[in-house]
Amino acid sequence: MLTIGVGKISKWWHYRLNCNATAVNYMSRAKVVDHYIQKVTEGGLEIDQVRKELVANNVDEHEIRIIVRLVDREVQRRMYTTTTNSKANGLVGVGLVLTIVGGGITALTYPGAINMVVHF
């Protein structure tokens, strides 16, 4: 389920997931936002297409703004978190490589494989 705050869900508000007259699923705002976050994250939908779908389903303009804003914020938050984690992992990798190289150089100076002339 969605972890961001979506405010109080209005009793009068519903949304049809399937436009099929035989299978109409009414969803709360949180479920609609979660549904569109999943569709956008999987790469099958753009933010502007979310608005177009909601307009096509006769959703109130105020609700469309709220839903699109929540979907956009959550998608951006997830992208920022992924980017931040990858940068941190890269920095740790560089530090690990430098530590191993420094340790190798230090270890090779003891048996004399690397000749360290006294420069003190």
Side-chain angles (χ1 to χ4, degrees):
M1 194 56 154
L2 189 62
T3 57
I4 60 174
V6 292
K8 186 176 179 182
I9 298 171
S10 303
K11 291 182 180 178
W12 57 268
W13 192 92
H14 14 254
Y15 171 78
R16 287 184 283 170
L17 175 62
N18 296 326
C19 295
N20 208 340
T22 58
V24 176
N25 295 328
Y26 291 101
M27 302 169 66
S28 67
R29 183 188 298 164
K31 288 182 181 179
V32 171
V33 171
D34 197 30
H35 169 74
Y36 280 115
I37 287 171
Q38 182 181 4
K39 286 178 83 173
V40 170
T41 304
E42 290 173 355
L45 203 64
E46 296 289 329
I47 294 293
D48 60 334
Q49 292 172 333
V50 171
R51 176 176 289 281
K52 289 176 185 175
E53 277 190 24
L54 292 170
V55 168
N57 287 310
N58 298 324
V59 178
D60 183 43
E61 182 63 32
H62 179 69
E63 292 296 328
I64 291 173
R65 280 191 216 130
I66 293 171
I67 291 169
V68 170
R69 188 176 300 139
L70 290 172
V71 170
D72 189 44
R73 283 182 187 166
E74 180 64 15
V75 169
Q76 286 183 12
R77 187 193 64 79
R78 288 181 184 183
M79 290 174 64
Y80 175 76
T81 303
T82 304
T83 303
T84 304
N85 288 343
S86 66
K87 285 181 181 179
N89 290 340
L91 188 60
V92 168
V94 168
L96 184 64
V97 167
L98 289 175
T99 302
I100 291 171
V101 168
I105 291 172
T106 302
L108 291 174
T109 57
Y110 291 124
I114 298 177
N115 188 9
M116 295 295 291
V117 181
V118 179
H119 291 286
F120 296 106

